[in-house]
Amino acid sequence: MDRLLHLSLNAIKHSKEDSSIRSNNLANVNVPGFRKDIEPPMIESSFLETLESFETRAFSLREGKNRFDDNQGRLDFTENEKDVAINGSGYFLMLPKNNEAALSRRGDFRVDQDGFLVDGAGNKILNQGLQPIVLPPYRQLVIGNDGRITIEPLDGEPGQRDEIGFIGTIQADVKDLKKSGDGNIRFIDNRDIQPDQEAQIAQGYLETSNVNPTEELVEMLHRQRHYELNVRLMSIARELDESGASIMRLPR
């Protein structure tokens, strides 16, 4: 009974974690460039926790937490000159409000009241020198495939073109990345971010999240059934324990 009880408790714990992951994915299904979270795999060997004389309590562990799916979302043509998408692999460089640089696929850019180029969440977009990009007033904005930013100044001569810099990008293997506590993507070993400008950028396009709502809902239902089954197993373990205690009870 002890083994059955702790096996069920362990399975319930993992089911709860999985449901939280699925709920977060569904909550971000409409966030441009969002990378869906995935469940960590089980470690092949079980971890036996010995507490005094209790050696029957086995808990399975997971490894590689904060993992995510790096498959590309759909690219939608928006005609908005400030919408930018990475076609293929690669990430934008951005600076969240906690001032710790991170990687992102979110390309719904805009210019804030201070002239900074930011994404839809207000994170500042960084250039190839890891500095926030500032855009002066302009008539037209052109972003090349290599991330080069060119504007036609609002107070300039017709046809005048000023180069502002480059949108910082980097190529990175998903095996080297994780999602930090703030939900942003960073390197597992916390290495410094070094832009390589190898990503291919498409202006006027916006990448959707790579979350499949139907798949997430079906999986949530499966996890709920799994949870209910393990709760039932805990109830069975209690009934077996009570029945065994009743058999061993001395007659009056």
Side-chain angles (χ1 to χ4, degrees):
M1 276 72 77
D2 184 72
R3 292 181 179 180
L4 178 59
L5 179 63
H6 286 85
L7 179 64
S8 298
L9 283 172
N10 191 220
I12 286 175
K13 175 178 177 291
H14 292 324
S15 293
K16 188 175 180 180
E17 291 176 354
D18 295 343
S19 295
S20 297
I21 289 173
R22 301 291 177 179
S23 297
N24 183 64
N25 289 340
L26 287 172
N28 289 279
V29 68
N30 292 320
V31 175
F34 177 77
R35 290 291 182 260
K36 72 174 183 179
D37 299 315
I38 55 178
E39 301 94 338
M42 296 289 186
I43 296 178
E44 292 183 1
S45 58
S46 295
F47 169 73
L48 299 179
E49 180 182 0
T50 302
L51 297 175
E52 297 177 355
S53 60
F54 299 99
E55 299 182 354
T56 60
R57 301 182 179 183
F59 296 89
S60 60
L61 298 179
R62 285 175 158 180
E63 60 182 356
K65 291 187 177 181
N66 303 326
R67 297 171 66 242
F68 61 92
D69 185 350
D70 195 39
N71 289 322
Q72 181 171 320
R74 185 182 68 254
L75 297 186
D76 289 340
F77 182 56
T78 65
E79 299 187 46
N80 187 336
E81 62 181 7
K82 290 191 290 292
D83 282 343
V84 180
I86 292 179
N87 188 16
S89 60
Y91 295 88
F92 298 116
L93 308 184
M94 59 88 166
L95 189 68
K97 295 179 181 179
N98 61 8
N99 291 323
E100 185 179 352
L103 311 182
S104 173
R105 294 279 297 198
R106 184 165 186 167
D108 54 339
F109 296 164
R110 59 183 175 84
V111 180
D112 69 8
Q113 59 184 5
D114 297 317
F116 289 105
L117 185 65
V118 299
D119 63 18
N123 303 308
K124 294 178 181 177
I125 306 304
L126 303 180
N127 61 19
Q128 74 275 27
L130 296 179
Q131 297 300 314
I133 297 174
V134 179
L135 292 180
Y138 61 87
R139 295 193 190 95
Q140 185 180 18
L141 172 69
V142 178
I143 300 176
N145 292 339
D146 57 355
R148 187 190 308 270
I149 303 174
T150 305
I151 66 168
E152 181 180 336
L154 189 62
D155 56 357
E157 298 293 332
Q160 179 182 339
R161 295 291 185 270
D162 289 349
E163 184 177 312
I164 303 301
F166 288 80
I167 295 176
T169 61
I170 187 174
Q171 297 280 359
D173 194 321
V174 68
K175 294 183 294 184
D176 299 327
L177 302 174
K178 67 175 181 179
K179 281 193 177 181
S180 302
D182 58 2
N184 294 314
I185 299 172
R186 295 184 176 89
F187 286 103
I188 292 176
D189 56 6
N190 296 317
R191 74 182 75 165
D192 293 334
I193 297 175
Q194 299 296 332
D196 55 28
Q197 302 304 122
E198 294 184 2
Q200 294 296 312
I201 292 179
Q203 184 181 18
Y205 287 84
L206 198 60
E207 181 185 5
T208 65
S209 72
N210 63 356
V211 177
N212 184 325
T214 303
E215 180 182 306
E216 298 297 318
L217 286 170
V218 170
E219 191 62 29
M220 283 191 70
L221 290 174
H222 173 72
R223 298 299 177 186
Q224 180 63 30
R225 298 293 182 269
H226 194 253
Y227 179 90
E228 294 171 356
L229 174 61
N230 281 282
V231 170
R232 177 56 183 159
L233 286 176
M234 291 175 62
S235 178
I236 291 174
R238 184 188 65 181
E239 293 172 359
L240 290 174
D241 185 64
E242 291 175 349
S243 298
S246 177
I247 292 175
M248 296 298 295
R249 189 177 299 119
L250 292 175
R252 295 180 181 179

